[in-house]
Amino acid sequence: VQLQASGGGLVQAGGSLRLSCAASGRTFSSYHMGWFRQAPGKERELVAAISRSVVSTYYTNSVKDRFTISRDYAKNTLYLQMNSLKPEDTAVYYCAVKLGGSYYSQDRNEYDFWGQGTQVTVSS
């Protein structure tokens, strides 16, 4: 699976961004997907995940009620709508594919394919 992430940028606190991740190379409905982020000096953390069937979603506590993960099967694209952004959301955001098992894991080693990352910077 090839993943191409886009949509990052510089935004003021309280603003919004939408990240996109275009996927190719395997049937889009056959795998789970997630968004991770990594801030300087910190571990890469799972932000949100969505099951292959869209039935289930997961959010880390710090983004609940602010971020929404979704996927468009017609466009083979994963999205992350980020609202009410805070300076602590500043990080490089990565999309990832999980081929099997449960639809999400906080262990990055359980993900099989990764996008190249897109920088999100939130100014105070």
Side-chain angles (χ1 to χ4, degrees):
V1 179
Q2 293 78 47
L3 301 172
Q4 181 70 40
S6 62
L10 173 64
V11 64
Q12 288 188 329
S16 298
L17 283 174
R18 188 177 78 158
L19 305 183
S20 300
C21 177
S24 62
R26 192 180 285 229
T27 302
F28 188 66
S29 60
S30 69
Y31 46 81
H32 310 305
M33 299 190 76
W35 286 99
F36 280 74
R37 66 186 178 188
Q38 187 165 18
K42 293 190 176 182
E43 294 290 318
R44 191 171 298 189
E45 65 166 342
L46 178 67
V47 176
I50 189 166
S51 63
R52 59 171 66 99
S53 62
V54 195
V55 171
S56 302
T57 56
Y58 162 87
Y59 298 93
T60 194
N61 284 339
S62 62
V63 309
K64 282 180 181 177
D65 300 324
R66 299 190 298 123
F67 291 10
T68 302
I69 190 170
S70 61
R71 60 195 297 174
D72 186 329
Y73 292 94
K75 296 181 178 180
N76 287 358
T77 301
L78 174 73
Y79 300 101
L80 185 68
Q81 177 67 44
M82 305 186 294
N83 299 327
S84 301
L85 282 161
K86 304 175 180 180
E88 51 263 44
D89 295 318
T90 295
V92 177
Y93 284 69
Y94 299 89
C95 54
V97 163
K98 192 174 188 290
L99 294 178
S102 61
Y103 77 95
Y104 80 93
S105 171
Q106 291 161 340
D107 182 353
R108 59 180 290 186
N109 295 311
E110 293 196 22
Y111 290 77
D112 301 280
F113 300 95
W114 292 85
Q116 84 285 9
T118 184
Q119 176 70 47
V120 172
T121 303
V122 184
S123 64
S124 56

